[in-house]
Amino acid sequence: AAAAPPSTKKAKKAKVAVSPTPSFRNLQLPVASFSMPPVTNAAVTPKAASPKRSTSPQHDPAPPAPSLPIPTATPAHLQWKNAVIATRENTSYAIAFNFERYQKMEFANGISGPSDWITSRPYGKWCSANPSSIAIDCEMCETKDPISGKSDNKALCRISVVNADNRDEVLLDTLVKPLWPV
């Protein structure tokens, strides 16, 4: 009598591999240069009063923010000045945009390295023809890994970018194929 073949259940389990979590860094989207005018004494954000908030490990208070540039290089930039100041004075701004904390967290978890973080070039003639501001809209969808069954309900499936000074000027409007099936 011939010996029974090895169990196929064990063989199938050994072959199941978990797909990595999709990341926008793997999409190889085009990256356009952007910039802010250089900081001058007249163009510094007014310091907002420190908000009193309860903290949790998830929402560590941000260290005092360095002076950030205000858009003042052109008349088109000036129309955004008050919106930029109001945004930075919002009590949630310092926590939500604490890039130093995010950078340290990503480095510690191996998500990114120093070459993944960029600093924009100062405003100059090289970018004076670019829009002073843009509006970005991202459409997300739910995807599911066919192997593990894991769902991602925030997978990018469309990105649109328009010139905020001239809303009829579409700079980018494209569908994005998620890593997993929709």
Side-chain angles (χ1 to χ4, degrees), residues 54-101:
S54 62
T55 61
S56 69
Q58 195 173 8
H59 297 96
D60 292 335
S67 294
L68 298 171
I70 298 290
T72 57
T74 70
H77 290 145
L78 285 173
Q79 72 180 348
W80 296 100
K81 178 181 174 183
N82 292 338
V84 169
I85 291 170
T87 300
R88 291 183 186 155
E89 288 176 347
N90 185 292
T91 56
S92 298
Y93 181 84
I95 293 172
F97 294 96
N98 182 347
F99 295 113
E100 288 180 11
R101 183 182 72 217

Side-chain angles (χ1 to χ4, degrees), residues 56-175:
S56 69
Q58 195 173 8
H59 297 96
D60 292 335
S67 294
L68 298 171
I70 298 290
T72 57
T74 70
H77 290 145
L78 285 173
Q79 72 180 348
W80 296 100
K81 178 181 174 183
N82 292 338
V84 169
I85 291 170
T87 300
R88 291 183 186 155
E89 288 176 347
N90 185 292
T91 56
S92 298
Y93 181 84
I95 293 172
F97 294 96
N98 182 347
F99 295 113
E100 288 180 11
R101 183 182 72 217
Y102 287 117
Q103 190 176 38
K104 287 178 186 175
M105 180 188 70
E106 286 195 6
F107 289 175
N109 293 320
I111 296 170
S112 68
S115 63
D116 295 316
W117 288 77
I118 61 168
T119 302
S120 63
R121 291 172 45 193
Y123 180 83
K125 289 183 181 180
W126 69 272
C127 65
S128 62
N130 292 350
S132 62
S133 57
I134 58 173
I136 301 173
D137 179 41
C138 296
E139 300 301 329
M140 314 309 269
C141 64
E142 183 173 352
T143 63
K144 190 172 187 178
D145 184 338
I147 297 171
S148 69
K150 181 179 176 183
S151 291
D152 178 5
N153 61 355
K154 295 181 181 178
L156 180 66
C157 60
R158 182 179 182 177
I159 184 167
S160 302
V161 182
V162 298
N163 179 342
D165 299 324
N166 175 8
R167 295 176 187 156
D168 294 331
E169 183 182 357
V170 177
L171 304 173
L172 175 70
D173 188 18
T174 186
L175 297 174

